[in-house]
């Protein structure tokens, strides 16, 4: 809510660049129709995926995300933050099975705010974190789709800007 309020106040003088091509939102609009329009586009609110283990998903849904845990199990190319993907395939790379072979993803509402877009092969994670923590940006879009032909990732450095709305459980079929 703090981010949303600040962005509304600043938008009069410095309009926010909207990310309207986030693949998860485009797909959800096709499936959900008007229900997908409940997001606040003016502040880059999106539905994004977060891959994790079922036990971690339960903790996140009960106690929210914790930036302090960032990068413990995976890399942190864009800095120690909360990583989300517009592609379920990318999020699945971070999902771990439970003892029954069940994988978990979280479908999260994310406030992207002012987005620092980067398509450099080897970004400076400290610069990215600094630009969001004490600079003019609120999140990072790491565009690996553009520079590597893979997926875009969105990184937040404030847990208040993400809400795990749904847990999706699944098995992989090969």
């Amino acid at each position: 809510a703090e981010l949303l309020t600040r962005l509304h106040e600043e938008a009069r003088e410095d309009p926010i660049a909207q990310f309207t091509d986030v693949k998860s939102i485009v797909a959800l609009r096709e499936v959900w129709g008007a229900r997908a329009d409940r997001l606040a586009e003016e502040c880059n609110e999106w539905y994004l995926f977060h891959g994790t283990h079922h036990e971690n998903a339960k903790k996140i849904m009960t106690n929210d995300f914790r930036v302090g845990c960032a990068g413990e199990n995976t890399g942190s190319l864009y800095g120690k933050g909360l990583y989300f993907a517009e592609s379920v395939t990318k999020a699945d790379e971070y999902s771990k099975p439970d003892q029954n072979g069940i994988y978990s993803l979280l479908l999260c509402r994310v406030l992207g705010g002012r987005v620092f877009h980067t398509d450099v092969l080897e970004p400076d994670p400290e610069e990215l974190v600094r630009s969001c923590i004490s600079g003019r940006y609120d999140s990072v879009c790491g565009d690996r789709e553009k520079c590597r032909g893979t997926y875009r990732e969105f990184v937040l450095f404030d847990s208040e800007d993400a809400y795990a709305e749904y847990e999706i459980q699944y098995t992989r079929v090969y």
Side-chain angles (χ1 to χ4, degrees):
E2 180 184 323
L3 173 63
L4 188 57
T5 302
R6 182 177 53 78
L7 289 172
H8 278 139
E9 290 170 356
E10 292 175 358
R12 293 179 197 110
E13 296 172 22
D14 187 13
I16 182 172
Q18 292 184 353
F19 271 61
T20 58
D21 65 339
V22 175
K23 290 175 179 58
S24 52
I25 296 301
V26 172
L28 286 172
R29 278 200 180 104
E30 290 179 21
V31 176
W32 287 356
R35 285 190 305 162
D37 291 334
R38 64 184 171 183
L39 302 176
E41 283 185 353
E42 69 276 8
C43 66
N44 286 322
E45 183 181 19
W46 315 296
Y47 272 113
L48 297 173
F49 298 99
H50 180 80
T52 190
H53 184 276
H54 172 65
E55 290 303 316
N56 291 339
K58 287 194 315 188
K59 289 176 187 173
I60 291 168
M61 293 190 78
T62 303
N63 302 311
D64 293 325
F65 285 95
R66 289 191 357 218
V67 177
C69 296
E72 287 181 355
N73 299 315
T74 58
S76 51
L77 181 66
Y78 302 105
K80 288 192 178 257
L82 306 172
Y83 282 66
F84 300 90
E86 64 184 347
S87 166
V88 71
T89 304
K90 178 63 179 174
D92 174 67
E93 292 177 12
Y94 299 101
S95 183
K96 306 288 184 243
D98 67 10
Q99 68 275 11
N100 299 314
I102 306 293
Y103 291 81
S104 288
L105 293 173
L106 295 173
L107 182 59
C108 304
R109 287 179 80 152
V110 173
L111 286 175
R114 291 188 190 283
V115 182
F116 186 121
H117 179 267
T118 179
D119 58 8
V120 239
L121 286 175
E122 295 182 26
D124 178 350
E126 290 179 16
E127 175 194 348
L128 296 174
V129 172
R130 193 171 33 256
S131 72
C132 291
I133 300 290
S134 56
R136 75 177 298 241
Y137 296 99
D138 303 299
S139 64
V140 171
C141 172
D143 197 340
R144 305 306 276 177
E145 182 177 52
K146 187 172 182 182
C147 69
R148 287 273 193 211
T150 58
Y151 304 100
R152 294 194 307 184
E153 294 182 82
F154 296 83
V155 187
L156 304 177
F157 303 96
D158 185 348
S159 61
E160 293 293 316
D161 299 336
Y163 172 72
E165 195 160 304
Y166 300 99
E167 180 183 6
I168 302 166
Q169 295 183 336
Y170 61 99
T171 57
R172 291 181 180 164
V173 178
Y174 297 99

